[in-house]
Amino acid sequence: MSKPKRPPPAESRNATAPKSGGKVPTVRIADLAAASRILAAQGVVDGFGHVSMRHLSAPDRYLMARALAPALVTPKDIIEYDLESNPCNAAGRPSFLERFIHGEIYKARPDIMAVVHSHSPSVIPFGLVDVPMRAMFHNAAFIAAGVPVFDIREKFGATNLLVSDGAKGVALAEIMGSHDIALMRAHGSVACGPTLEAAVFRAVYTEVNARIQHWTTALGEGSPIAALDPEEGRLADALNLGAGMRAWHLWRTMVRSQVKW
Amino acid sequence: MSKPKRPPPAESRNATAPKSGGKVPTVRIADLAAASRILAAQGVVDGFGHVSMRHLSAPDRYLMARALAPALVTPKDIIEYDLESNPCNAAGRPSFLERFIHGEIYKARPDIMAVVHSHSPSVIPFGLVDVPMRAMFHNAAFIAAGVPVFDIREKFGATNLLVSDGAKGVALAEIMGSHDIALMRAHGSVACGPTLEAAVFRAVYTEVNARIQHWTTALGEGSPIAALDPEEGRLADALNLGAGMRAWHLWRTMVRSQVKW
Amino acid sequence: MSKPKRPPPAESRNATAPKSGGKVPTVRIADLAAASRILAAQGVVDGFGHVSMRHLSAPDRYLMARALAPALVTPKDIIEYDLESNPCNAAGRPSFLERFIHGEIYKARPDIMAVVHSHSPSVIPFGLVDVPMRAMFHNAAFIAAGVPVFDIREKFGATNLLVSDGAKGVALAEIMGSHDIALMRAHGSVACGPTLEAAVFRAVYTEVNARIQHWTTALGEGSPIAALDPEEGRLADALNLGAGMRAWHLWRTMVRSQVKW
Amino acid sequence: MSKPKRPPPAESRNATAPKSGGKVPTVRIADLAAASRILAAQGVVDGFGHVSMRHLSAPDRYLMARALAPALVTPKDIIEYDLESNPCNAAGRPSFLERFIHGEIYKARPDIMAVVHSHSPSVIPFGLVDVPMRAMFHNAAFIAAGVPVFDIREKFGATNLLVSDGAKGVALAEIMGSHDIALMRAHGSVACGPTLEAAVFRAVYTEVNARIQHWTTALGEGSPIAALDPEEGRLADALNLGAGMRAWHLWRTMVRSQVKW
């Protein structure tokens, strides 16, 4: 096991590193770093998990922190990647092993601008038993469109469960299809959105929704659950993308009270 | 999605804005702002939810914060509304979309002086399955009178679930009837009271009661629950309105340790 | 409802107030005040609940805070009572309505030196359904001797659930009998001990034990639970009274880091 | 019950105390003290529980804090023991009663370099009913190899449940066998690893895994759980021992923000 205080072996400056897609406004880099801390503060991620954002002006690039616990991320930890998940500007900073989740989703889904990958404990059960996650309340409306489950074992046999290369990322993106969420068996989940704020919002309320569904299932003891239907889901999700973003304002304010960016 | 740091489009100063019901003591405005923060600290609200108070000298007016996460509310965020939920003094500050919950309840129920609307996760299940919430202990005594469930779908079909106009507020108030609480299917709940402190107290203990009922249901596996009966509920609720307010003293003290009002 | 900031109506200095049992060391008064804050920090009490200690040199007197949220108690809030629960030195400070729980237990049980009354949500279910609380682990060993349930309705009919006079306190103490714990239907529980530290320890681990039993019941789905048997309970409880008090040291240290006493 | 502020009776400087295995780097002593605080911060231990580390250069010695709540441990509280769990340098500092857990595991298992003993509430149920703990996600991969349960009653009859001498430690180590975890009926559990960081990581994720399994069991209502199979467990555990240690970096950073070591 590598000692935590010893820096990882520096990658030699790669002559073939992809070119940058151009400068991203400082404020959005800060928002992306803040998103990591927000997800940690909301209990969606712990020492693991990551959030990325598509490059604002170059759709074939995305931005994500170096391999680091989300609660510790700062703007200077953000690395730019191409959609093969090769770093443009690593400068010796190590990358997340599972960055292929992000790259392959951005490739497959031009409408998605941000991706959160997490292992929140309340969500994992829905990938382990044959009970679909459903939308328990309006804040989790995007779930009403359905939640596919990706089992890495089906295509790749016994693995360490990580989506650690492009092929696995492709397989995950295929299972996700046109949904904005996918569960990963015995591992975690992915939540996506048309903006960074929306993806964070959805990841947070997926976790809350999971807790509500656990309680509801136990309370009802098998009786039907009056969850959102798909049309209610569409209508409420549209709302969440707008007025619902009051939560982001709160969360970003809380991060700002702790850091200067 | 609106960017959080950009102020909302300023409403033009409306020449037809309703007149104010008169000045409310500063200390009560501060208590109302504190109530928002109390509900956030107690886990009843998160980035969403709101609490209002009927105007002390004008029963056809009520007071509520501008659209803002409850944990961030200060006295200067409080807006006055008429019972049609038109702001008297918005001055460009945006209003909660669901303010009609408050206005219509104040119209229908002259005895109610304060209203809390929240989405606490432990409470939502009782609006999703056919299991009535019951009063598990004396602090939640007001629940013993019964807890109606409002399903917006019955009258309005597929919606975004929000009570975003007067007609929906009227329908909710009708379902609530003479109770001081109503659940809203796939959305949240409303708790009311004869004072601001009582409404906050009831909202907090509705959340605690929900957790207790989840545990009790699972523990008993279907066996009868020795909940408060209606007469016990009446007696204990009367107590809560008086001596039970020690909790408000604690909560208000905790808010005062963080702000100057 | 009384306004929180208005002081309660001062009791006229009662010419017939019982005499004090004598001075108690300052350090033990501070420990009693700290016990209130410990119980709040550990989630056993919220805005309500109380802990008392028998007078060290006068067994017919006990000490308890004035009616105040436990997290706010300081040494100057401690009042001395006789076993009829009449205050010796109230000086206008209001008393807890349920002080009779304490007085009557001290009367009935000379071996008990401290009493905690609480409403912790995880414990309440065991008073609402016919499932006995059992000792899930060594820290809750005293529970292995059995946990009686007091239903105030059996003797007093419909009430506000509070043990608000001597007769109700006597009835509770009778149900408790030779045990050191009793549950109160739809209300809360009492945990007692031969020292202040032991009573606090037992109240804390009753709450933890309740949570473990909820999980165990759900996990086992009705299969037998290998709880402590009575002899294991006796042996482990003896241990807790000695070496087990390391937890008190931690909790007291945490209180000391916040106050000067 | 011993008063917390009174120091324990000083052991007379034992002429037959075992010799030290030599100096251990200050930074590793600090890491061991930090591990105690990490386990407390992560909810694995409360006022009780302990973590030890085999001596780096003398495999027949190990290091562990004096009997003290884990959240209070500092580097100067670390004592060295031989594998009979005799202190080399107690200097009057009291030892944990259950240090024999550690000594006997180090004797039986030369590959193990660190041991955590805890009573985390979510884990205890798996020692009380006949439901095996299984690996719910990759972070708890080491559980996929199986989790034996030690019932002290089988060999020692009614006890206080503590592993308070060598014979009991031997019996526990025998039940654990070649696994790196064992549950202890009505008591707690042990998690081990090839490094201090790995043992802490495994103890933390055993607790998280237990919570996930509780939710999964309730959600599935008896249907099969797609947990990690043993081969997935081996592969993911290898990963956790390396790249998975990002969590340790976070936790150690959080301790460093509170202390100077």
Side-chain angles (χ1 to χ4, degrees), chain C residues 2 10 15 17 39 50 68 70 76 102 151 167-168 182 218 223 231 246-247:
Chain C
S2 57
L39 291 165
H50 19 89
L68 184 67
K76 70 179 173 40
H102 303 257
D151 184 354
K168 289 168 183 159
S223 63
E231 178 63 5
R246 213 151 59 224

Side-chain angles (χ1 to χ4, degrees), chain A residues 27 136-138 195 197 201 205 215-216 219 224-228 231-232 235-236 239 241 244-246 248 250 256, chain B residues 1 4-5 46 48 67-69 96 119 121-122 124-126 128-129 131 153 158-160 162 185-187 214:
Chain A
V27 64
M136 298 290 112
F137 75 142
H138 62 299
T195 63
E197 289 81 357
F201 182 93
Y205 282 106
W215 274 321
T216 305
L219 186 69
I225 297 176
L228 269 71
E231 177 62 6
E232 289 179 323
L235 293 166
L239 180 87
L241 295 178
M245 285 301 135
R246 214 152 57 224
W248 171 268
L250 171 65
R256 273 210 188 84
Chain B
M1 182 173 40
K5 279 154 300 173
D46 53 6
F48 305 103
L68 184 68
F96 283 117
H119 317 135
S122 58
I124 290 173
F126 294 91
L128 290 169
V129 292
V131 177
R153 194 169 45 182
T159 65
N160 64 12
L162 293 207
R185 173 198 147 253
H187 180 168
H214 289 306

Side-chain angles (χ1 to χ4, degrees), chain B residues 123-188:
Chain B
V123 174
I124 290 173
F126 294 91
L128 290 169
V129 292
D130 191 21
V131 177
M133 185 180 281
R134 298 178 65 200
M136 298 288 112
F137 75 142
H138 62 298
N139 281 339
F142 86 119
I143 286 172
V147 181
V149 178
F150 170 69
D151 184 354
I152 198 169
R153 194 169 45 182
E154 287 178 10
K155 201 158 187 173
F156 301 93
T159 65
N160 64 12
L161 277 308
L162 293 207
V163 174
S164 51
D165 60 37
K168 289 167 183 159
V170 167
L172 168 62
E174 277 174 1
I175 291 287
M176 190 170 92
S178 63
H179 297 92
D180 286 353
I181 182 170
L183 305 186
M184 302 155 81
R185 173 198 147 253
H187 180 168

Side-chain angles (χ1 to χ4, degrees), chain B residues 27 136-138 195 201 205 212 215-216 219 224-228 231-232 235-236 239 241 244-246 248 250 256, chain C residues 1 4-5 46 48 67-69 96 119 121-122 124-126 128-129 131 153 158-160 162 185-187 214:
Chain B
V27 64
M136 298 288 112
F137 75 142
H138 62 298
T195 63
F201 182 94
Y205 282 106
I212 299 175
W215 274 320
T216 306
L219 186 69
I225 297 176
L228 270 70
E231 177 63 6
E232 289 178 322
L235 293 166
L239 180 87
L241 295 178
M245 284 301 135
R246 213 151 58 223
W248 171 268
L250 170 65
R256 273 210 187 86
Chain C
M1 181 173 41
K5 280 155 297 174
D46 54 6
F48 305 103
L68 184 67
F96 284 116
H119 316 134
S122 57
I124 289 173
F126 294 91
L128 290 169
V129 292
V131 177
R153 194 170 46 183
T159 66
N160 63 12
L162 294 207
R185 174 198 147 254
H187 179 168
H214 289 305

Side-chain angles (χ1 to χ4, degrees), chain A residues 80-160:
Chain A
E80 184 182 339
Y81 295 92
D82 69 9
L83 297 194
E84 301 303 324
S85 296
N86 297 307
C88 303
N89 59 347
R93 295 174 295 176
S95 291
F96 284 117
L97 293 175
E98 295 201 287
R99 61 192 181 278
F100 305 93
I101 295 171
H102 303 257
E104 298 304 328
I105 289 176
Y106 290 125
K107 251 195 257 176
R109 289 281 303 279
D111 58 314
I112 284 176
M113 301 301 284
V115 174
V116 173
H117 170 55
S118 62
H119 317 135
S120 49
S122 58
V123 174
I124 290 173
F126 294 91
L128 290 169
V129 292
D130 192 21
V131 177
M133 185 180 281
R134 298 178 64 200
M136 298 290 112
F137 75 142
H138 62 299
N139 281 338
F142 86 118
I143 286 173
V147 182
V149 178
F150 170 68
D151 184 354
I152 198 169
R153 194 169 46 182
E154 286 178 10
K155 200 159 189 173
F156 300 94
T159 65
N160 63 13

